Structures are given as structure tokens and as C-alpha cells.
Amino acid sequence: MTRGPKLLFLATVLAGGAALAAPTDDLAAPHLDVIPRTAEESARIARIVQPASDLTAAEPFEANPAGAATVRARSDADAFSLPSGNIPFERELDFKVGNGLFRKLWVSSPSSTRASDGLGPLYNARSCQRCHLKDGRGHPPEGPDDDATSMFLRLSVPAAPDQEMSEIEAFLLSIEDATPRTRPEPTYGGQLQDFAVQGHAAEGKLGVTYEEVEVELSDGETATLREPTYTVENQGYGPLHPDTMLSPRVAPPMIGLGLLEAVPAADILAHADPDDADGDGISGKAQIVWSFEHDRPMLGRFGWKAGAPTIREQSASAFAGDIGISNPIFTAPGGDCTDAQAGCLSAPHGDDEVRGQEIDAEGLDLVTFYSRNLGVPARRDIEDREVLRGKQVFYDTGCASCHTPKFVTHRLEDQPEQSFQLIWPYTDMLLHDMGEGLADHRPEGRATGREWRTAPLWGIGLTEQVNGHTYFLHDGRARSLLEAVLWHGGEAQEARDRVVGMPKPDRDALIRFLESL
């Protein structure tokens, strides 16, 4: 297949992307109305985002991890549900209407509530809020009677050698670190839907069992990890393909997404080192995905493997896959239904001549605006001696090699909330090999079955307050921040081993620092 000009540019980016300049950044989101930085601004930003050299006191502006968009740290479960701290008054109504759509319970078709029908027929949840509980983190089933509403299984099978390739697949297969091509499971589609509207059978139920693994730590301390095994029970449409790959995913927190979207792609690519040229053992690489909205390759930013390039596309994908709601980007009224599910495809749906898809462009834009502007809470206890000691441990241990503390966002003409903010998300938004322990053995784009996007850490210390649990990582297997650290492997193995071997007071200080984020 002949490469188009955009893919030729992409080849240049992936070969030496660190030198990419923002004004020619073709991997950036084209919907952002960017004001180019001056040379003086770029030099000033480079100084600001350098790692701190003195960690004995809090850094300037560290209390506000989202810059001017930071919100006050509430002491209740609504800590993740406030609009950006700098949102103009006239835009608050859009935020509130978007919140209403985010929380709306969809119903099956046909229905007298024409603005809310179109659910399913197969689905994982009836609203966005049902997965992103209080705009926070989902959790795995907590017992045999608990459903998995805020967690689901991605499904895929290896692509047959003779299956037609997309343009982006053809390109990715031409580079050295190409991953095997995959396709959705032929009967069940791209994810397991464990609910169905009346008259239809659910696809199945996520099953999980755990094996306890004890880890010895320094100073006589021990920790117990739980190693999960996933199955699909009560398969409603026949057996899964024998080569099906399962990847569990809990819903991630929603805070700060607009700021992550506003980080220049060039600044993210500057941290990429896919061949570990500097020899530090860290080899983050950029995820490159095809944007269905913009019809071009773009930098992946959102999702556990950075599989979505923009908030709007991620939202549209969730509407289609999780709720079965058609939209301007993913227009199929049957959501994730496959050709093998004829009853699902022929079921009534909510598309009509007035609104078009089941959620129209205006509704999708409002949900996108809401998702873009969920505020990041202010830091707590940043001058506390143990927190400062934990920050020093965080740096000394090597955690900041992937959990990059600081970025400065684009200057944006029409997004004042995200424009030119110094932010502290503690992520490089790159893919990293996390070892066999966390592997799902399911490739996705450029991500191998062992690679995951570095998860942002801002707000992580408020998880229990917002969601009533402390389950972490992509599948919620870790029951504490310490367990999450101990699951790190691959590129993070040396850092993990340092945590195991360090004096207990240092380990406690590290956790205390994470709790302050």
C-alpha cells in the first residue's frame, strides 16, 4: 500500500519524534485552536518543567495541580465533580447540561421519551455516570452478587493473514516494533456486554477469581497481592472464539482530561525513548491511533492503552460500546452488535429524522465539554515533612521517570480553562512495558500485551473519599497504593525493587506523598 503524506510524516515522527516542533505537530488534535508559542515562551517553559533540584520545600504553584483550573479540595464524595476553577460564568450552563447528559439514564426503543431512547440492545451501563461513579474510579466485582457495571472485558482475536488492512495498520506493520494485528471477537464484538434490553440475552458475565501472593518487604513487613484470572460465564451467543484475548478494564477517573488533551504532542514525544537510547532502562513510546473523527493518525492519549486521541472520540466510543448509543462518530444504532447477532441488529433503535443519531452532535459536544472541564482538586499537606520526604523518595526511586510531574498546556484561543496552564498530572502519557504480572497479552495499536499508558496520579489520594474503595490499576486488583506499586514490573522493576528493599519509614513516606496528590 502506498503511504500517504500524513503517514510519511508519521514515519518521521516515530523515527525521531523528540525533535518535533509544535508548529508542525501533525499528531496534535486538529480541533484545538492553538496559538503558537514564541521562542521566549518555549525557553521559559523548558526551565519550569525541569525536575525540582530542592525537594525540602514545596515548589511554587505545586498546590494547584491544574493551574488556574484547580478546584478546592472538598471533603465529601463530590471532590471530582466540580467544574474547572477558572471556567467563565457564561460557560457553567454548558457544564451543567453536559453533566445532565452524562448522568442521564437511557431507555430501550421504542419509547415515549424519544430524547432518551436507543439503549443497547446490548450494553454495560445505562449512563456514563454508572461506570464513572461520582466522576471517579470504577471497581471490580466485590463478591458473587456484585455486578461489574464499572468494569468490562475487552475482546479481540488475532487477525487472519488475508484480512484487509487499514491504512494505519499497514503503516504500523512496517515499523520495527509492530504488534500483531487484531480484530473484535467475531460473535461478541469488541467488548463483553453483560446487560441487555427486554427480549434479548446478555452476552455473558465477567468472572474473576484471585490467587493470593505474599511479598516480603524490608524490616520484617509483608504484603499480599491478589493475582486475578478472568473468564466469561453464561455465554449467551455460543462459545467464544478459541483464540479470544480478554483484557479487563475498570473505568478511570474523569478529572483533568481537558488539560491532558491540551498538552502539546511535541512535549509528550520529547519524553519518548522507544529504544532506550539514554540507557536508563525506561523506553516509553507514543501510541499512534487512527482518528475516526478526523480521518488521520493522531497521538493516543486516553484510555488504559491510550487508544483514543481526543475526549470527544473517547466519549463517542463509550456511548457506542458501553451504552449502545449511536452518535455522529460511531453511527451504528446497534452499538457493538456483530453480524452474528441478527436479533440485536434488527431490534428497534432511537435514530430518527429530527435528531439523527441517538445522541446528536450537540449532545455529544456538551458531554465532551463536561468531561473536558471536571476540575482537579488542590493538593493537601504539601508542606508536611513526611509528604516532602515521600516526594524525595518518589524521585530517588525513579518513579518520576514515567510519572512525569509537570507540563505546560497550549495557548488555546477558545478554551480559556485549559489555556497555558502549568499542570502536575504525574504522567508522560506514553506506553511502557509493565512486566508479565500486569500483562493482558492483548495488543492494541502500538501497545503490546505488556504495555500500558502511564496513569495520571493527580487526585489518586482522594479515591476512597470519592468512591469508597482503594482499588487501583487497570483491573482494580491492587487494594492499596502499596499493592499497586508492588505490581510494577518490566521497565519499573528496578523502582519496584527499591521500594521493597527501602526502610519502612521511607516506604510509608512514599505512600503518604501519593495520598497527598
Side-chain angles (χ1 to χ4, degrees):
M1 179 181 291
T2 303
R3 294 186 188 176
K6 289 176 181 171
L7 292 187
L8 285 173
F9 173 81
L10 180 57
T12 304
V13 170
L14 296 179
L20 187 67
T24 59
D25 187 354
D26 268 1
L27 292 178
H31 65 286
L32 298 180
D33 192 0
V34 174
I35 302 172
R37 292 173 177 173
T38 66
E40 181 181 356
E41 282 179 338
S42 297
R44 182 157 58 97
I45 290 168
R47 293 193 299 270
I48 290 171
V49 299
Q50 285 297 309
S53 56
D54 179 10
L55 300 177
T56 60
E59 298 174 66
F61 314 112
E62 188 175 3
N64 296 320
T70 304
V71 299
R72 62 188 176 87
R74 294 177 61 125
S75 58
D76 59 19
D78 291 326
F80 290 170
S81 299
L82 299 176
S84 299
N86 57 347
I87 192 170
F89 176 77
E90 62 272 15
R91 291 161 71 97
E92 287 188 21
L93 179 60
D94 287 343
F95 180 85
K96 291 175 181 177
V97 176
N99 183 20
L101 291 170
F102 192 82
R103 298 166 63 92
K104 176 163 73 166
L105 294 175
W106 293 84
V107 298
S108 58
S109 297
S111 170
S112 59
T113 54
R114 297 292 298 277
S116 300
D117 69 345
L119 175 68
L122 306 176
Y123 63 95
N124 294 104
R126 290 181 57 197
S127 75
C128 306
Q129 183 76 210
R130 288 284 179 93
C131 288
H132 299 279
L133 308 168
K134 304 296 289 185
D135 306 299
R137 190 181 304 270
H139 63 83
E142 296 182 304
D145 298 326
D146 186 21
D147 62 41
T149 301
S150 59
M151 179 180 186
F152 65 79
L153 288 172
R154 290 256 185 244
L155 308 174
S156 58
V157 297
D162 59 348
Q163 279 188 290
E164 183 179 358
M165 285 189 285
S166 66
E167 189 177 13
I168 192 68
E169 281 184 317
F171 171 75
L172 291 176
L173 281 175
S174 72
I175 61 180
E176 291 183 3
D177 61 351
T179 60
R181 293 189 301 135
T182 65
R183 289 290 183 271
E185 202 280 339
T187 300
Y188 290 86
Q191 66 191 65
L192 183 75
Q193 273 106 15
D194 48 359
F195 294 102
V197 302
Q198 187 174 7
H200 295 265
E203 290 186 325
K205 179 181 178 181
L206 179 155
V208 56
T209 56
Y210 296 101
E211 179 181 348
E212 300 286 324
V213 180
E214 190 171 276
V215 178
E216 293 186 3
L217 308 175
S218 63
D219 295 347
E221 193 176 20
T222 62
T224 303
L225 307 183
R226 55 178 192 171
E227 184 174 357
T229 299
Y230 294 97
T231 56
V232 177
E233 302 172 359
N234 305 328
Q235 297 175 23
Y237 295 85
L240 287 163
H241 189 285
D243 296 327
T244 300
M245 295 170 276
L246 309 178
S247 183
R249 309 287 175 89
V250 297
M254 297 289 295
I255 58 173
L257 298 185
L259 294 162
L260 296 179
E261 186 177 53
V263 174
D267 293 354
I268 297 171
L269 292 168
H271 290 273
D273 185 16
D275 300 318
D276 191 20
D278 60 7
D280 67 352
I282 306 300
S283 51
K285 69 183 183 186
Q287 173 70 289
I288 307 298
V289 299
W290 189 263
S291 170
F292 295 95
E293 179 178 16
H294 300 290
D295 193 31
R296 52 177 280 181
M298 289 176 61
L299 179 68
R301 296 173 187 251
F302 303 107
W304 288 104
K305 296 207 177 203
T310 68
I311 298 169
R312 191 170 192 265
E313 196 156 326
Q314 172 73 15
S315 300
S317 177
F319 269 117
D322 300 354
I323 313 178
I325 298 298
S326 63
N327 57 76
I329 300 177
F330 301 101
T331 58
D336 192 42
C337 296
T338 69
D339 291 341
Q341 296 168 327
C344 181
L345 292 176
S346 63
H349 56 76
D351 287 9
D352 59 43
E353 294 181 359
V354 177
R355 61 175 168 165
Q357 283 79 41
E358 291 162 340
I359 186 168
D360 59 16
E362 183 181 12
L364 181 60
D365 287 344
L366 286 165
V367 172
T368 300
F369 183 80
Y370 173 75
S371 302
R372 183 178 289 143
N373 280 289
L374 282 163
V376 179
R379 287 277 308 279
R380 287 85 52 214
D381 304 324
I382 61 172
E383 295 286 3
D384 181 271
R385 291 181 61 184
E386 188 175 27
V387 169
L388 290 170
R389 175 58 185 154
K391 183 179 178 182
Q392 181 74 61
V393 174
F394 184 87
Y395 276 79
D396 292 347
T397 305
C399 305
S401 297
C402 301
H403 291 283
T404 304
K406 293 175 280 187
F407 286 98
V408 173
T409 61
H410 275 303
R411 282 195 186 276
L412 298 172
E413 186 71 47
D414 58 354
Q415 289 181 217
E417 304 89 351
Q418 289 82 44
S419 181
F420 210 56
Q421 301 298 324
L422 170 62
I423 64 173
W424 307 67
Y426 287 90
T427 174
D428 59 9
M429 287 183 276
L430 298 174
L431 300 170
H432 293 275
D433 181 347
M434 294 300 293
E436 189 63 24
L438 289 178
D440 65 354
H441 305 291
R442 178 184 176 274
E444 182 177 329
R446 294 188 77 207
T448 70
R450 290 166 53 108
E451 290 177 326
W452 301 91
R453 183 199 68 155
T454 305
L457 296 181
W458 51 13
I460 198 167
L462 295 174
T463 301
E464 185 171 16
Q465 175 183 308
V466 171
N467 294 124
H469 67 75
T470 54
Y471 297 125
F472 301 106
L473 301 177
H474 67 280
D475 57 359
R477 70 178 66 186
R479 294 161 295 189
S480 68
L481 290 169
L482 178 59
E483 285 187 29
V485 172
L486 296 177
W487 270 110
H488 283 49
E491 296 173 43
Q493 184 69 45
E494 288 189 16
R496 178 262 186 200
D497 291 346
R498 293 187 190 108
V499 173
V500 169
M502 67 178 52
K504 184 179 184 302
D506 286 353
R507 196 161 48 240
D508 292 343
L510 173 62
I511 300 303
R512 182 74 181 86
F513 167 67
L514 295 176
E515 291 172 343
S516 78
L517 295 179

